[in-house]
Amino acid sequence: MKQIVADAAIKEVEDGMILGLGSGSTAALMIKSLAEQIRSGKLKNIKGVPTSFQSEVLALELNIPLIDLASVPYIDLAIDGADEVDPDFQLIKGGGACHVREKLVASKANKLLIVIDESKLVQNLNQVFPLPVEVMPSAWKQVKDIISEMSGVSNLRMATKKAGPVVTDQGNLILDVLFDAGIKDPKDLEMRINNIPGVLENGLFVDLVDKVLVGRIEDDVPVLFSPSRKS
């Protein structure tokens, strides 16, 4: 299911493009499909801008030419996954703790294409998946207390194969936040959280998405569809 979505995303790529290379399992399949197209000569003069150390390592292993985000005035197309997508194409990202670089790449892209499986489609953000908030290590408790006053329950994300918390590519910590009844106004909440001292960025991606490709299973067969934006 994820593979057909990843392969479909590559059909949006044209010769000479600067591509934002997303993070996560579906994005990794997309990067592998991209590498095969480059290797076979079907795509030429492609340069990638990685959104994480994970996608950078994978692209280098597959010999995809990379360029630094600071070196490009724009990105033609960014292809990335998401943890939740609502009917207005607002997103929660950051399950892999890469949302800061992902948002930098997305905001610089002329087009943002999101590739997901059907389980990521939701009617209302944050009822199930927590909102990641990246914070300075010295500020996590202060930020947690302020978010609590906003009716948000925060948990410091802990690592699974090391002692202590998850540390991002930027050297920060992650608070995973659930709000009462989810997030009703993503645009307002994105700004409010980012205005808290000590917060670097949060995982709400608002008004950035141009197209969503979704994979699902029908009669035991993986199929692809592209939903329309609600508004």
Side-chain angles (χ1 to χ4, degrees), residues 92-110:
I92 286 181
K93 291 176 54 58
C98 306
H99 53 284
V100 171
R101 285 176 63 180
E102 288 172 336
K103 191 178 284 192
L104 286 169
V105 168
S107 63
K108 211 169 192 178
N110 293 335

Side-chain angles (χ1 to χ4, degrees), residues 37-57:
Q37 295 290 304
I38 294 173
R39 187 162 48 246
S40 66
K42 293 180 181 178
L43 285 173
K44 301 179 177 65
N45 300 321
I46 299 296
K47 292 182 179 179
V49 180
T51 58
S52 66
F53 187 67
Q54 176 206 38
S55 57
E56 178 180 339
V57 169

Side-chain angles (χ1 to χ4, degrees), residues 3 84 96:
Q3 188 65 61
E84 286 190 338

Side-chain angles (χ1 to χ4, degrees), residues 138-158:
S138 60
W140 74 268
K141 183 61 168 61
Q142 181 175 338
V143 173
K144 176 183 172 76
D145 291 342
I146 294 172
I147 289 177
S148 177
E149 296 172 1
M150 298 164 60
S151 300
V153 177
S154 306
N155 289 298
L156 187 63
R157 188 182 300 182
M158 304 304 289

Side-chain angles (χ1 to χ4, degrees), residues 52-69:
S52 66
F53 187 67
Q54 176 206 38
S55 57
E56 178 180 339
V57 169
L58 180 58
L60 288 173
E61 290 177 345
L62 296 172
N63 297 314
I64 297 175
L66 298 181
I67 188 169
D68 187 79
L69 178 63

